[in-house]
Each structure stands twice: as structure tokens, then as C-alpha cells.
């Protein structure tokens, strides 16, 4: 499953392009542009609940080490902190995905996925469906036109680092 969690038309369009690599992740599910944050939260929760056991999950958005979503921070822009997305994964994602990729820019090795994994381990020890799941994330800026690696290519991409959830 490939979830697009930004309203940015350029990112949304690039995700739909054949050369994007998104098709290797299964269904392309953009969150409806123009929703409020609460509505976008609800749609993201519904998408997460639809992930099947063993299915790869990619969430694409703008981001940094603390938050993903829209590039701006205006009143109508979306944003999910690593704390909020960790809670959503623990409570709405009920099946065990094969892997997770957070396709957004980052700045440090202790990036968004790493902080999210630590948050999961510290706050939701009962989220057993996530035990052993590998979350991949970037530790640098990534051009919007850079293709998304397939789930099988993640281990071979030096821009991407893994973190394993240990509950």
C-alpha cells in the first residue's frame, strides 16, 4: 500500500507517474486534498486499518526529523509528528506489514522513523503486531523526482536506513 500524505500537487502527481516506483507497493491511496487535519487523520486511519498482513506500506509526504505531511505549516496544512504517527500505527494498523517506508526527507540519522520506533517501543508494548517490523527512512533530503525504491530494493539503497521495532 502506498499512501500519499501531502496536499502538494507536485508530489501527488509524481506519485502517480509510471516512473515513480509507487506501483511496486500496491494500491496508491492519496489522502483527499483539501481535508482538514482531523479529516485527513480519519482517512489515514482508515487506510492503515486496510493494510493486509505481509503487505508493504509506504507513506510519502514532505518532512523532516520531527514531522511529515505538507511542506508548509499553515492553518490548512497537514502534519503528523512521529509521536502521532506512532500512535496511529499502534492503534489503527492491526495487521503486520512486511516493511514500512517513510518516504520523506530527513536531516539526521536519528530521523523520523527512528524516533517513531522508539516511541512505539516506549508507549505501546501491547502493539505486538509491530514487533520485528522494519521501518525504513531517509536520513537526507530527497528530490521529488527520485523514484521510490521497491520493497525489495530498500536494503540496497544507501540513502535509506532501517530501524527494527522491538516490543
Amino acid at each position: 500500500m502506498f499512501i500519499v500524505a501531502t496536499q502538494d500537487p507536485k508530489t501527488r502527481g509524481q506519485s502517480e507517474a509510471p516512473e515513480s516506483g509507487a506501483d511496486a507497493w500496491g494500491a496508491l491511496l492519496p489522502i483527499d486534498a483539501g481535508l482538514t487535519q482531523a479529516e485527513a487523520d480519519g482517512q489515514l486511519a482508515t487506510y492503515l486499518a486496510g493494510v493486509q498482513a505481509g503487505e508493504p506500506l509506504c507513506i510519502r509526504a514532505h518532512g523532516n526529523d520531527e514531522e511529515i505531511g505538507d511542506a508548509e505549516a499553515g492553518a490548512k496544512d497537514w502534519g503528523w509528528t512521529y509521536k502521532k504517527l506512532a500512535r496511529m500505527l499502534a492503534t489503527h494498523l492491526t495487521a503486520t506489514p512486511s516493511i514500512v517506508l517513510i518516504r520523506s526527507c530527513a536531516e539526521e540519522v536519528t530521523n523520523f522513523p527512528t524516533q517513531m520506533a522508539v516511541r512505539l517501543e516506549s508507549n505501546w508494548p501491547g502493539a505486538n503486531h509491530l514487533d520485528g517490523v522494519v521501518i525504513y527512512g531517509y536520513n537526507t533530503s530527497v528530490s521529488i523526482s527520485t523514484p521510490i525504491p521497491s520493497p525489495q530494493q530498500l536494503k540496497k539503497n544507501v540513502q535509506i536506513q532501517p530501524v527494527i521495532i522491538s516490543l
Side-chain angles (χ1 to χ4, degrees):
M1 181 178 292
F2 190 91
I3 300 171
V4 182
T6 180
Q7 299 177 82
D8 175 39
K10 212 170 164 186
T11 301
R12 294 168 75 88
Q14 180 63 29
S15 298
E16 296 171 357
E19 64 275 6
S20 74
D23 59 340
W25 292 85
L28 175 64
L29 301 172
I31 296 174
D32 296 336
L35 296 179
T36 66
Q37 180 68 55
E39 293 166 335
D41 288 349
Q43 193 168 33
L44 178 56
T46 299
Y47 288 165
L48 292 174
V51 172
Q52 301 296 307
E55 181 179 18
L57 171 63
C58 179
I59 300 175
R60 182 176 191 176
H62 290 285
N64 55 44
D65 297 332
E66 302 288 325
E67 183 178 43
I68 63 169
D70 288 328
E72 303 298 323
K76 294 184 179 185
D77 293 316
W78 301 333
W80 291 271
T81 64
Y82 68 87
K83 294 174 184 177
K84 185 174 186 177
L85 191 56
R87 180 177 43 79
M88 292 184 81
L89 290 178
T91 57
H92 299 292
L93 183 67
T94 56
T96 303
S98 58
I99 56 169
V100 176
L101 171 63
I102 303 298
R103 173 49 164 94
S104 69
C105 296
E107 299 152 352
E108 298 181 18
V109 174
T110 306
N111 58 21
F112 186 91
T114 303
Q115 293 188 76
M116 192 170 60
V118 170
R119 182 78 176 179
L120 281 163
E121 292 168 356
S122 302
N123 292 279
W124 290 279
N128 295 333
H129 63 287
L130 295 173
D131 187 41
V133 171
V134 181
I135 301 177
Y136 289 89
Y138 288 81
N139 54 16
T140 186
S141 293
V142 185
S143 170
I144 192 171
S145 61
T146 301
I148 293 100
S150 72
Q152 298 78 22
Q153 295 171 325
L154 293 179
K155 293 179 185 176
K156 299 175 183 177
N157 191 317
V158 297
Q159 289 182 310
I160 301 171
Q161 72 180 46
V163 59
I164 299 170
I165 299 172
S166 180
L167 298 173

